[in-house]
Amino acid sequence: MNALMAYYPEIKLAHTTAVMTSGSLFALRAAGLLAGMRWPRAAVVRYVSYTVDTALLTAALMLLTMLPAALFANGWLWVKLVLVVMYIGFGIAAFRASRGVLARVALITAALACFLQAYGIARAHHPLGWLLWLGG
């Protein structure tokens, strides 16, 4: 048994808290950006966002090394990881100064959709995530 397993509850709580904080902060920054406010691009806000996302990814990697490989056998983790990368990419693109309003709205929507689906996949431990409940 992995020595880190003793810390599983704390690491999972840190990861879950970071997930909710990351998604909430992104949504708030995106709303502020679309409203024409300057604070979403402020250095301190960006650095807080980077810190939260770093904590999220660190806790995720710790959980990945702790949990048995059989838990990930149906591929849900890989789908989730691809969606997280897409969430980050769309989010970075949305905050670029050169974007028009429609492109920014589309990128923010895509980022939030990726985030929500990744969250659904994590909850369901299945590659279809929220889509599982739509078909059932």
Side-chain angles (χ1 to χ4, degrees), residues 36-99:
M37 299 176 179
R38 294 174 51 177
W39 70 264
R41 287 197 182 116
V44 68
V45 177
R46 286 193 332 263
Y47 293 136
V48 166
S49 181
Y50 300 156
T51 302
V52 168
D53 290 343
T54 300
L56 184 155
L57 293 172
T58 301
L61 290 173
M62 291 174 80
L63 290 171
L64 179 64
T65 61
M66 294 166 58
L67 296 173
L71 180 64
F72 313 118
N74 69 1
W76 68 269
L77 184 63
W78 295 111
V79 176
K80 180 183 152 205
L81 289 174
V82 168
L83 286 168
V84 169
V85 169
M86 292 171 62
Y87 159 68
I88 292 167
F90 287 138
I92 289 169
F95 279 90
R96 298 223 193 255
S98 61
R99 301 285 180 218

